[in-house]
Amino acid sequence: MIILDKAKNRSRRLRKKLRVDEFQELGFDVAWSFAEGTSNDEIDQFIDKFFKEAIEPNGLGYGGEGDLLWHGLVCTQKLGKCTDEHRKIVETWLSDNGAKSVAVSELYDVWWS
């Protein structure tokens, strides 16, 4: 019980350092694949378009990797929380632009998951 009381009395500086309360950051995982035989140039063009049309205009950032199978984390570019709307935007864009087996996780705390 004492631990909970101390948590409520954290200073703003400490909350920011711990990335909790108003400084919590929510993100989500995303994964998709390309059809067998997709060239590296086609993948590069797809990723460039993904960033230009889905990630950057929505204030998001993406960290991940892949070849024919891609996976990574989507979070906000600035301190903040992704929303279910962000999840839908990314999932819809990937599906509408030819990605296969698109999977998007639930939102989670990217620092304390």
Side-chain angles (χ1 to χ4, degrees):
M1 189 67 123
I2 294 173
I3 293 172
L4 293 176
D5 290 337
K6 286 184 180 182
K8 291 180 183 178
N9 294 324
R10 289 182 180 145
S11 69
R12 183 179 194 282
R13 186 175 139 261
L14 184 56
R15 290 190 314 272
K16 185 175 181 181
K17 188 173 186 172
L18 292 173
R19 299 182 189 273
V20 296
D21 299 331
E22 72 268 35
F23 300 103
Q24 179 187 42
E25 295 181 73
L26 298 179
F28 58 95
D29 293 325
V30 62
W32 71 91
S33 62
F34 293 100
E36 192 68 38
T38 304
S39 72
N40 288 337
D41 287 339
E42 290 171 313
I43 292 171
D44 287 345
Q45 290 171 2
F46 182 94
I47 298 299
D48 288 345
K49 188 176 174 185
F50 177 54
F51 274 85
K52 184 182 267 186
E53 295 179 5
I55 298 297
E56 292 171 354
N58 292 291
L60 301 174
Y62 171 80
E65 62 182 358
D67 189 12
L68 290 180
L69 175 61
W70 279 74
H71 57 89
L73 166 69
V74 177
C75 57
T76 57
Q77 288 182 14
K78 296 180 181 179
L79 182 66
K81 298 176 181 171
C82 285
T83 64
D84 284 325
E85 182 64 27
H86 290 127
R87 291 175 61 249
K88 284 184 179 188
I89 288 168
V90 169
E91 183 175 27
T92 301
W93 191 93
L94 289 168
S95 296
D96 289 352
N97 284 276
K100 309 292 182 209
S101 304
V102 176
V104 176
S105 76
E106 294 299 318
L107 294 171
Y108 65 89
D109 188 316
V110 298
W111 291 96
W112 301 103
S113 62

